[in-house]
């Protein structure tokens, strides 16, 4: 029994890794015969190596039938993890060889940061670094950067994720914003207590999955303003609240960095003037520890330049 447990709990070593090449070929072709042809060995040798690997790992990788082989669910998990690791390794080798500002760069961002701040400026980056191919991904989660191939992530929060390197990007402040028409309709100019008759628009995931109306109530406490009993309309993205405000739906709690251009264009106004509260959250950049590639450093430097 102990020997069986030892086998089942054994981690990969060099011997299993050498068999992984055979497994990768067989999984890719879904055929021991085609894998044997690619490896210039016999199909029986492929089968023998796979049998040994399955015995050492403690679970089946393939379901064998008379005419074909198919990956088990466990085999599929191992194959896709192996494929992802090989892709990352190949990219790493290319970057080591090039040591230049070229190749792919995958950036993950909170949707509102991407929509309102990052994406409108990307033309400047591509003009400066035409050999870097950018991919922009968005979401409200904290993805596993190693597993998902993300090189760099942008967040707005006060608690950076652990086991990553962090770079401060910029501070933020919040202030109510709405359309000029909505402000006039509800007599808001310099009269914040008239908010009690308004619809509040807010990002329910401002800095975590349960931020709720925290931004509004933090601002109201700071300036001693009475808010309506209803929590208004919640969104999972700050930019959606801003779009609703631009369309006269209500008053949004805006982040100055993200709404400044719309304030400058007159699409939004800040009806209460200088009643702006500094956030204890800030924008920061996360990277994998130890990954100091020229293209990542170039993007970080460019972001800091744009942040002023």
């Amino acid at each position: 029994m102990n020997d069986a447990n030892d086998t089942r709990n054994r981690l990969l070593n060099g011997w299993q890794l050498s068999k992984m090449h055979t497994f990768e070929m067989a999984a890719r072709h879904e055929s021991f015969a085609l894998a044997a042809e690619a490896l210039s060995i016999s199909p029986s040798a492929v089968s023998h190596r796979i049998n040994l690997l399955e015995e050492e790992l403690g679970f089946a990788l393939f379901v064998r039938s008379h005419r074909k082989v198919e990956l088990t669910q466990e085999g599929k998990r191992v194959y896709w993890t192996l494929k992802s690791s090989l892709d990352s390794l190949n990219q790493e080798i290319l970057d080591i060889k090039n040591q230049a500002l070229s190749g792919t760069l995958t950036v993950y961002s909170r949707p509102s940061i991407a929509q309102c701040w990052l994406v409108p400026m990307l033309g400047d980056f591509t003009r400066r670094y035409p050999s870097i191919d950018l991919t922009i991904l968005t979401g409200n989660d904290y993805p596993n950067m190693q597993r998902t191939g993300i090189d760099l992530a942008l967040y707005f929060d006060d608690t950076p994720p652990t086991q990553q390197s962090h770079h401060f990007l910029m501070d933020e402040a919040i202030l109510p914003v709405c359309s000029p028409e909505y402000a006039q309709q509800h007599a808001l100019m310099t009269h914040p207590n008239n908010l009690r008759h308004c619809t509040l628009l807010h990002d329910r995931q401002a800095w975590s999955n349960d931020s709720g109306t925290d931004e509004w109530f933090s601002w109201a406490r700071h300036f001693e303003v009475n808010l309506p009993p209803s929590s208004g309309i919640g969104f999972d993205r700050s930019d959606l609240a801003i779009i609703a405000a631009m369309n006269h739906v209500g008053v949004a709690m805006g982040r100055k960095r993200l709404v400044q251009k719309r304030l400058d264009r007159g699409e939004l106004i800040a009806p209460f003037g200088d009643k702006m509260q500094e956030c204890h959250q800030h924008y920061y950049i996360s990277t994998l520890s130890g990954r100091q590639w020229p293209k990542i450093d170039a993007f970080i430097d460019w972001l800091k330049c744009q942040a002023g």
Side-chain angles (χ1 to χ4, degrees):
M1 179 65 71
N2 288 338
D3 290 343
N5 287 336
D6 289 345
T7 298
R8 189 171 295 275
N9 295 325
R10 189 181 302 158
L11 298 176
L12 283 176
N13 56 36
W15 291 107
Q16 282 103 345
L17 286 176
S18 66
K19 300 184 189 74
M20 279 291 179
H21 179 45
T22 304
F23 164 72
E24 193 272 336
M25 282 288 187
R28 189 197 316 169
H29 295 292
E30 293 187 330
S31 166
F32 286 1
L34 292 177
E37 183 178 339
L39 294 168
S40 299
I41 58 177
S42 67
S44 61
V46 170
S47 179
H48 179 66
R49 291 182 186 181
I50 298 298
N51 288 339
L52 285 177
L53 182 60
E54 289 176 323
E55 183 179 341
E56 291 164 357
L57 293 178
F59 54 81
L61 296 168
F62 292 96
V63 176
R64 284 86 162 163
S65 63
H66 179 65
R67 294 179 178 271
K68 62 178 181 178
V69 294
E70 293 182 347
L71 286 167
T72 63
Q73 287 300 315
E74 294 80 5
K76 289 178 181 178
R77 290 177 60 181
V78 173
Y79 175 64
W80 285 110
T81 302
L82 178 61
K83 185 177 183 300
S84 176
S85 299
L86 288 173
D87 290 344
S88 296
L89 180 59
N90 284 327
Q91 183 61 54
E92 191 88 18
I93 290 169
L94 284 175
D95 286 329
I96 291 171
K97 287 181 176 180
N98 291 332
Q99 285 297 310
L101 296 171
S102 63
T104 60
L105 183 68
T106 301
V107 178
Y108 179 86
S109 172
R110 289 288 188 259
S112 296
I113 304 173
Q115 157 86 9
C116 301
W117 189 79
L118 174 63
V119 172
M121 303 184 299
L122 287 179
D124 179 74
F125 182 82
T126 57
R127 284 189 293 271
R128 292 171 185 252
Y129 304 100
S131 296
I132 296 178
D133 298 321
L134 282 175
T135 297
I136 308 296
L137 307 175
T138 64
N140 283 324
D141 297 321
Y142 292 95
N144 184 314
M145 295 177 65
Q146 181 77 52
R147 185 175 299 167
T148 54
I150 294 169
D151 300 306
L152 178 148
L154 293 176
Y155 296 111
F156 174 66
D157 208 335
D158 54 0
T159 53
T162 58
Q163 299 177 341
Q164 293 174 15
S165 297
H166 309 291
H167 310 263
F168 171 83
L169 180 58
M170 55 188 180
D171 287 317
E172 185 57 285
I174 54 175
L175 76 168
V177 294
C178 63
S179 69
E181 293 86 347
Y182 195 88
Q184 182 178 7
Q185 180 184 353
H186 291 81
L188 292 179
M189 299 306 292
T190 70
H191 294 92
N193 280 318
N194 284 349
L195 279 171
R196 64 183 182 273
H197 305 303
C198 297
T199 299
L200 303 185
L201 311 170
H202 55 94
D203 180 3
R204 296 186 59 84
Q205 298 186 28
W207 51 80
S208 68
N209 288 331
D210 57 357
S211 298
T213 55
D214 287 354
E215 284 185 313
W216 264 113
F217 282 100
S218 173
W219 179 88
R221 282 195 303 269
H222 185 76
F223 292 106
E224 299 181 344
V225 173
N226 294 320
L227 295 180
S230 169
S231 60
I233 304 175
F235 302 88
D236 64 351
R237 292 166 46 169
S238 178
D239 59 310
L240 295 179
I242 296 305
I243 291 172
M246 291 169 58
N247 286 275
H248 329 301
V249 177
V251 186
M253 183 52 68
R255 292 183 209 139
K256 190 72 161 39
R257 296 276 191 174
L258 305 188
V259 301
Q260 186 60 59
K261 290 183 179 179
R262 290 187 166 114
L263 290 170
D264 293 342
R265 292 194 295 260
E267 297 169 344
L268 293 170
I269 62 170
F272 313 127
D274 60 355
K275 290 190 182 300
M276 182 168 58
Q277 182 187 11
E278 296 294 327
C279 298
H280 65 272
Q281 296 83 10
H282 61 267
Y283 299 98
Y284 60 88
I285 308 161
S286 288
T287 58
L288 289 170
S289 299
R291 182 168 289 187
Q292 293 177 314
W293 295 345
K295 60 186 177 183
I296 293 178
D297 291 339
F299 197 80
I300 291 173
D301 290 343
W302 176 79
L303 286 173
K304 290 182 176 181
C305 180
Q306 301 305 310

